[in-house]
Amino acid sequence: MKATPVSGALGAEVEGIDLNHLSGAEETALKAALDRYQVLRVRDQSLDRFQLAALGRRFGPPFLHPLVDNGYDDCPEVLELLREPEDAEMFGGESWHSDITWLKPAGYVSILHAQELPEVGGDTAFASTIAAFETLSEGMKETLRGLTALHAYHWYERREDPEWTAEHPVVRRADDGREALYVTRMFTSRLKGMTASESAPILNYLFDHQERAEFTCRFRWRLGDVLIWDNRFCLHYPINDFSGPHGHRVRRRMIRTSTMEA
């Protein structure tokens, strides 16, 4: 197995493996590459929903989404992410975010597999929250280490439903000791002990900071691609540019599975 970086901040292309037939050594190498690069692309794969679910279970307990109904009846841990030509929005949110931060334990790995694609458009971008944290001042780092944030699924509706709201430290630490921001524009509602208005100056600064171009990479999809990413240490952004001046109003269909922290 070979992993080749795609940017200075995060992301790698992985070659030399078949995700349907991973040996124990290949699984260990794949997980080590994910820890190092936060997001991996594996080309030329062919997984049905059951095989995708089985791959996800290698990383942890499967996530069964309690609030959306686009999972398969015979394989509920796999979601179909479908955007029809007439749809204005794309499932997954047109904003930077990490998956499943509004639960505790939170989301760990997400795996997305391309099934049908537009000729142009629909890329997915990623941002390293490790790289973002590393460039902050020492004073800011120390301040953030003492803060906790609330993550709410319905934050866009200005709701913090107890069942779908979780508290997490603003700074997470990886197994290798690297630290990362753990706030997301889509789900982080406020800092613990503060109102949303009081929290906004700090959170908006962090949102803007971690989405800077130098912390990002971008993948243009090709049929058969599989993207695997670690929600604890990176953000992602599905780009809805199908109907731009060079876009094409065609169907985009992906299948996704996610796992939870143990």
Side-chain angles (χ1 to χ4, degrees):
M1 193 193 89
K2 179 183 178 182
T4 303
V6 300
S7 79
L10 80 166
E13 299 267 4
V14 171
E15 301 173 275
I17 60 170
D18 179 349
L19 294 175
N20 278 322
H21 302 94
L22 283 178
S23 67
E26 288 172 330
E27 180 179 334
T28 298
L30 186 69
K31 290 177 178 178
L34 184 64
D35 287 343
R36 180 176 181 181
Y37 296 111
Q38 294 120 68
V39 56
L40 307 174
R41 171 160 59 185
V42 188
R43 295 280 202 188
D44 302 320
Q45 303 295 303
S46 179
L47 289 77
D48 62 27
R49 58 186 178 274
F50 305 106
Q51 293 165 328
L52 187 68
L55 175 63
R57 287 193 291 271
R58 289 176 177 265
F59 291 90
F63 170 62
L64 303 180
H65 206 301
L67 297 170
V68 301
D69 59 1
N70 55 337
Y72 291 94
D73 291 341
D74 58 356
C75 191
E77 62 256 58
V78 173
L79 300 181
E80 181 183 55
L81 278 55
L82 176 62
R83 182 189 185 277
E84 296 286 10
E86 64 274 13
D87 292 341
E89 297 182 355
M90 188 158 59
F91 180 89
E94 296 163 35
S95 175
W96 287 101
H97 65 286
S98 298
D99 290 334
I100 327 168
T101 66
W102 39 275
L103 291 176
K104 194 168 186 175
Y108 172 27
V109 165
S110 289
I111 309 174
L112 190 61
H113 188 19
Q115 305 290 296
E116 298 178 62
L117 293 171
E119 191 174 317
V120 176
D123 297 356
T124 303
F126 292 85
S128 171
T129 57
I130 293 174
F133 183 81
E134 288 175 346
T135 61
L136 294 171
S137 68
E138 291 305 314
M140 177 61 86
K141 290 177 183 177
E142 193 58 34
T143 297
L144 296 177
R145 290 184 184 112
L147 298 179
T148 298
L150 275 72
H151 297 245
Y153 183 84
H154 292 292
W155 169 233
Y156 270 17
E157 302 165 26
R158 298 300 185 263
R159 289 161 47 198
E160 291 178 356
D161 300 330
E163 192 173 5
W164 317 121
T165 300
E167 296 180 6
H168 298 288
V170 169
V171 179
R172 292 199 60 145
R173 185 181 294 273
D175 290 341
D176 62 6
R178 292 181 297 171
E179 293 175 292
L181 294 172
Y182 196 63
V183 292
T184 165
R185 193 180 295 275
M186 182 175 286
F187 296 125
T188 303
S189 57
R190 59 186 173 89
L191 298 171
K192 186 177 180 181
M194 302 185 195
T195 66
S197 296
E198 291 168 339
S199 305
I202 298 173
L203 290 177
N204 287 334
Y205 171 78
L206 296 178
F207 298 154
D208 292 341
H209 175 72
Q210 65 188 353
E211 296 164 9
R212 283 165 45 182
E214 59 264 40
F215 306 140
T216 69
C217 68
R218 177 168 172 165
F219 290 99
R220 181 176 181 183
W221 287 94
R222 191 173 74 187
L223 282 178
D225 281 357
V226 173
L227 288 184
I228 306 170
W229 68 89
D230 187 335
N231 286 291
R232 302 170 304 170
F233 302 113
C234 71
L235 308 172
H236 63 283
Y237 184 2
I239 301 171
N240 185 7
D241 58 351
F242 298 34
S243 55
H246 304 293
H248 301 274
R249 286 193 172 275
V250 296
R251 171 186 266 217
R252 179 184 189 267
R253 187 171 70 87
M254 324 289 274
I255 54 174
R256 189 193 79 186
T257 192
S258 297
T259 70
M260 305 298 289
E261 295 182 298

